[in-house]
Amino acid sequence: MDIDLRIEGADELEAKLQLLGKNFANSALYGALLDAAKPIADEIKKTTPVAAAPYYRYWKGKRGGEPSRKPVQGGTMRKSVTRKRVKGLDVAAVTVTFKSKAFYWLFREKGTPKQAAQPFMRPAFDRKQPESLAIFADKLRKRIEKIAAKQNRLS
């Protein structure tokens, strides 16, 4: 799944970010990216499937003892939607993902050999992408202006 995105004015943006300095530029970028990811995360939360009724979760007890069962209310996957920074890349990046206890989102989204795919993340992304791009552009512009104004006061 590739996403092709063209940004007009990227050269001017890069020049402005370089004037701010690396730390301030990263702060502005990550802040704007996190703000832009919020509508997508909210839409994913809204469309994430939830079990209709409580169900039992089974597991083996400590040291291989008797199997145990615990009633669980649905909604774990919906509650675990989160936005976070992606580290270790050369560029600023943010992802909308699930906390580790809801690892099974992938089975629902992509399917398994015995379960057909029931995508809910990609359609949510597609619906909210234009809104997120507008938020990103607006928030980044405001953050750059705010940091530049502070730097001018300090000079």
Side-chain angles (χ1 to χ4, degrees):
M1 157 176 47
D2 291 339
I3 299 170
D4 188 23
L5 179 65
R6 181 177 296 150
I7 299 175
E8 294 178 17
D11 295 333
E12 294 86 4
L13 175 61
E14 187 174 347
K16 284 184 179 182
L17 289 174
Q18 285 179 353
L19 288 174
L20 295 179
K22 187 174 181 173
N23 289 339
F24 291 115
N26 282 342
S27 172
L29 276 172
Y30 279 115
L33 284 170
L34 283 168
D35 289 342
K38 184 164 182 8
I40 295 171
D42 291 345
E43 184 70 10
I44 290 171
K45 280 182 184 180
K46 196 165 53 172
T47 60
T48 298
V50 176
Y55 57 93
Y56 285 98
R57 178 163 277 166
Y58 295 88
W59 70 93
K60 288 190 176 182
K62 292 181 181 177
R63 297 187 184 114
E66 285 292 314
S68 301
R69 72 181 203 160
K70 174 183 174 185
V72 177
Q73 180 63 45
T76 300
M77 193 161 54
R78 181 172 285 173
K79 291 175 193 168
S80 69
V81 174
T82 185
R83 299 170 291 155
K84 65 180 184 179
R85 289 174 63 163
V86 177
K87 297 180 181 179
L89 297 178
D90 294 337
V91 295
V94 170
T95 186
V96 177
T97 188
F98 293 87
K99 295 177 184 169
S100 62
K101 65 182 176 181
F103 63 90
Y104 48 91
W105 72 268
L106 186 61
F107 307 142
R108 192 74 176 234
E109 181 76 11
K110 300 281 186 181
T112 67
K114 296 184 179 187
Q115 174 184 323
Q118 299 169 339
F120 60 96
M121 286 186 72
R122 183 62 196 211
F125 172 80
D126 291 340
R127 281 190 300 274
K128 293 297 182 173
Q129 181 185 10
E131 181 182 341
S132 289
L133 286 174
I135 289 172
F136 174 73
D138 184 51
K139 295 290 185 174
L140 184 59
R141 182 183 49 77
K142 287 179 181 176
R143 286 174 183 271
I144 288 173
E145 289 171 357
K146 184 177 177 182
I147 292 170
K150 279 185 182 179
Q151 288 181 346
N152 287 339
R153 276 188 264 149
L154 295 176
S155 298

